[in-house]
Amino acid sequence: MPTLVITDFNIVCSILGGFVLAFGLVSFFVKERLYLSEALIALIMGIALGPHGAKLIRPLIYAKDSEENLDAINLAFSRLVLGVQLVLAGVQLPQKYLAHEWKSLAMLLGPVMTVMWLVSGTLVYALIPGLTYVQALAVGACITPTDPILSNTIVKGKFADKHIPVPLQRIIIAESGANDGLGYPFLFLMLYIYRYAMLSDRVGHGVGLFFTETLLYTIALSVVYGIVVGWVAKELLHWASLNRLVDRESFLVFAIALALFIVGTCGMIGTDDVLACFIAGNVFTWNDWFRLETLDDSLQPTIDMLLNITIFLWFGAVAPWTEFGNTLEIPFGRLLAVGILVLLLRRPPVVLLLHWYIPRIKSIREAIFAGYFGPIGVSAIFYLYVTIEFLADVEKLPLDESQLKGVKQMMIATKLVVWFAVISSVIVHGITVPFIKIGNVLPVTISRSVSRMTDNIPGLGGLISRSPSRSRNSVSAPLPDVGPRDRRVNVSDISGPIPPEVALTSDQVERGKALAWDDENLERGRDRGQRSAPQQTV
């Protein structure tokens, strides 16, 4: 006699598969017409299906009713997704990108990231009660890196192709990938100060650990390991491809397998697997061979989409929703203030101020975009649970009652602030593009409606002045569609030597120069009904 087998495994598979199927049926409409990010949709569905909604996804039960097990699951899941995403982010960058764009990356990963950390920590210190400045800077370090997963949802798609120059898209991807791994020094500098200077008198030991364990072992070794593994993997795959030893399926999945290998091996030796994955992805496509070979294949974007949906569905279910308003030490109003002010002050002002020194940000308009779209996401959750794991070890030390209370308060504050910042970023950045589109379309629609109404009212049409060049009977020639920036041939956007596969003829170069005028002039020309750029026959 058949019986229902309603196990957790069957429920999770049904929910995940059903949601991917349902979302897939309307994915083009949602992402390319409504301009909503898949991360936001998955987060909302996770809330609806999680323990605070339909209770179909039950994270705590999967963790055997253990908060410690649940924290370990969250840490492992975020590590896995970040590792794969960062290798894919490194692979999609052009030939020798890190070497060609070192000036822009040095500014973004140096002064800009440092100011982001200090601003975030200062806001946490000012608004969250009971934390010392060192503790607040540790919390701020968790939300300092920009997220490569959410960044990809912003710089891909029809909106990005039309409105975001390709060089700006690439520098955002590169920065979000590199600064994830470089969040370690900021975080562990504060954690070591807290443990060895504030909870004990072993300052020298803490300083030594920071330089040896964090800077040399965790960061430097990760960079060297990523370079070696990425280069060896590239050479082996190239050799196997030349000798016809690898089939197409294995060729396409090679970068993903490389990410899994690095996450596992770095996890075993205790280095920064996040940074190693990004470095390995860049080295793996250093000569642009693999990127050009897989340019028209959709396996990597498909895996990227599945990981995005899965992890944000899980985040929606596992986030501490009930704790946001029920924690007496941190009122909800203060959390809301932190979420808003961090998004407004953490990144936009410093990028706008220093964009003159970042070669790849060429205008104030681009600086505003690069500053605003610095989302907080999976990388912040990763650093959150790294911090909780560190503080759990600190709790086991022989501490007095006040010190133990401070450690527990820091764990609670870090958990609530980081989760709330991530949720705020997913929501705000997820709905920003639709609001931009509404802001652009609504005035035009209202103007056209008013024009039709006045034309139908006798005598009223003449009250509205028209310029001679835009009279009622005149027909304005439509502007030619120059297409998205990435389809233009702009020699200034090409990093390094041009590969033979994409070599340009002199006619193509001249055509690229003719079409690559300034975007602001083009927009002003469209508003006036004519080009602002010099008229040329192309």
Side-chain angles (χ1 to χ4, degrees):
M1 185 70 181
T3 58
L4 291 175
V5 184
I6 307 177
T7 61
D8 290 333
F9 177 78
N10 292 338
I11 291 174
V12 170
C13 288
S14 302
I15 290 173
L16 181 59
F19 175 65
V20 173
L21 289 173
F23 180 76
L25 294 174
V26 295
S27 57
F28 180 82
F29 176 77
V30 170
K31 293 194 289 187
E32 304 296 345
R33 298 287 177 85
L34 299 180
Y35 298 98
L36 294 173
S37 70
E38 58 201 20
L40 176 61
I41 303 299
L43 182 74
I44 294 172
M45 287 303 300
I47 300 169
L49 299 174
H52 307 293
K55 295 182 174 61
L56 295 177
I57 303 176
R58 299 170 289 183
L60 195 58
I61 293 178
Y62 307 152
K64 299 181 179 178
D65 292 319
S66 170
E67 288 286 348
E68 187 177 346
N69 290 342
L70 186 58
D71 292 347
I73 292 172
N74 291 331
L75 177 59
F77 196 9
S78 59
R79 277 184 59 216
L80 173 65
V81 172
L82 278 176
V84 175
Q85 293 272 8
L86 287 171
V87 168
L88 296 182
V91 165
Q92 65 183 285
L93 294 174
Q95 180 181 13
K96 300 180 181 178
Y97 187 82
L98 297 185
H100 291 302
E101 299 298 337
W102 70 269
K103 291 182 180 179
S104 296
L105 288 173
M107 286 297 300
L108 290 168
L109 300 176
V112 171
M113 191 174 178
T114 302
V115 172
M116 288 168 61
W117 168 53
L118 294 174
V119 170
S120 301
T122 303
L123 289 173
V124 172
Y125 177 70
L127 293 169
I128 303 301
L131 294 180
T132 65
Y133 194 56
V134 170
Q135 290 174 319
L137 285 175
V139 178
C142 296
I143 57 178
T144 294
T146 55
D147 188 73
I149 297 175
L150 290 177
S151 295
N152 275 341
T153 64
I154 292 166
V155 298
K156 288 183 179 180
K158 186 170 67 174
F159 179 86
D161 290 340
K162 286 185 177 181
H163 301 285
I164 308 171
V166 172
L168 186 60
Q169 295 180 28
R170 288 172 176 166
I171 200 67
I172 289 175
I173 292 173
E175 182 208 3
S176 64
N179 67 17
D180 277 352
L182 294 177
Y184 261 97
F186 298 105
L187 176 62
F188 276 88
L189 176 61
M190 295 298 103
L191 291 179
Y192 282 145
I193 290 175
Y194 178 62
R195 175 172 179 174
Y196 294 105
M198 300 179 66
L199 298 181
S200 64
D201 295 326
R202 304 170 64 194
V203 179
H205 182 66
V207 172
L209 286 178
F210 175 73
F211 282 100
T212 55
E213 285 193 0
T214 302
L215 295 184
L216 292 179
Y217 188 81
T218 304
I219 302 298
L221 181 59
S222 298
V223 172
V224 173
Y225 186 75
I227 291 173
V228 172
V229 173
W231 185 84
V232 171
K234 172 180 68 73
E235 293 298 320
L236 289 176
L237 183 62
H238 199 188
W239 175 81
S241 178
L242 289 176
N243 290 277
R244 303 193 176 209
L245 299 176
V246 58
D247 61 11
R248 187 63 182 173
E249 291 78 10
S250 299
F251 185 89
L252 294 176
V253 82
F254 202 84
I256 299 168
L258 177 64
L260 298 177
F261 175 79
I262 294 174
V263 169
T265 52
C266 284
M268 286 189 288
I269 62 177
T271 58
D272 186 355
D273 48 0
V274 174
L275 182 59
C277 283
F278 180 70
I279 296 297
N282 277 275
V283 174
F284 185 66
T285 187
W286 194 251
N287 59 358
D288 231 14
W289 169 70
F290 184 80
R291 186 180 73 91
L292 294 175
E293 287 289 328
T294 58
L295 202 59
D296 297 325
D297 290 297
S298 58
L299 176 64
Q300 293 176 10
T302 302
I303 298 297
D304 184 47
M305 183 268 292
L306 287 174
L307 289 175
N308 286 347
I309 288 178
T310 305
I311 196 162
F312 282 101
L313 188 72
W314 175 259
F315 282 175
V318 80
W321 300 101
T322 56
E323 298 179 32
F324 288 144
N326 295 335
T327 304
L328 298 178
E329 295 87 352
I330 308 176
F332 179 76
R334 290 179 177 268
L335 279 177
L336 183 61
V338 170
I340 295 173
L341 292 178
V342 162
L343 293 179
L344 292 177
L345 302 179
R346 156 182 164 268
R347 181 176 171 87
V350 63
V351 174
L352 192 61
L353 184 65
L354 297 179
H355 81 277
W356 309 105
Y357 306 100
I358 304 174
R360 274 304 172 190
I361 299 180
K362 300 182 181 298
S363 66
I364 293 179
R365 200 166 141 197
E366 293 185 6
I368 293 173
F369 180 88
Y372 180 75
F373 286 103
I376 306 168
V378 181
S379 56
I381 301 299
F382 167 73
Y383 281 116
L384 161 64
Y385 288 104
V386 168
T387 304
I388 289 179
E389 187 177 59
F390 182 91
L391 293 176
D393 292 334
V394 173
E395 265 190 314
K396 300 173 184 177
L397 298 175
L399 305 175
D400 59 38
E401 186 176 348
S402 63
Q403 290 175 332
L404 189 60
K405 182 180 178 182
V407 174
K408 290 181 178 179
Q409 190 169 9
M410 182 178 175
M411 292 176 72
I412 294 172
T414 306
K415 181 178 180 180
L416 294 182
V417 169
V418 173
W419 268 113
F420 197 85
V422 169
I423 293 165
S424 301
S425 181
V426 172
I427 294 174
V428 170
H429 290 114
I431 64 175
T432 296
V433 174
F435 272 99
I436 292 175
K437 297 298 293 184
I438 291 173
N440 290 336
V441 171
L442 193 58
V444 177
T445 305
I446 293 174
S447 176
R448 289 175 179 173
S449 301
V450 172
S451 178
R452 292 193 191 100
M453 291 172 61
T454 55
D455 286 344
N456 292 332
I457 300 175
L460 187 59
L463 298 178
I464 302 178
S465 62
R466 298 186 178 93
S467 62
S469 62
R470 298 284 292 177
S471 64
R472 184 175 180 178
N473 295 325
S474 66
V475 178
S476 187
L479 285 173
D481 186 9
V482 298
R485 177 72 68 90
D486 62 342
R487 294 180 185 173
R488 304 179 196 169
V489 183
N490 189 350
V491 293
S492 65
D493 292 344
I494 300 176
S495 300
I498 301 174
E501 296 87 349
V502 292
L504 304 177
T505 65
S506 59
D507 291 340
Q508 288 173 322
V509 171
E510 291 303 317
R511 179 179 176 83
K513 291 179 179 178
L515 291 177
W517 55 67
D518 185 77
D519 281 349
E520 295 183 8
N521 291 334
L522 179 59
E523 292 298 330
R524 288 196 294 268
R526 281 178 172 165
D527 291 341
R528 294 195 303 266
Q530 60 185 7
R531 288 193 185 186
S532 302
Q535 297 293 329
Q536 300 187 32
T537 302
V538 181

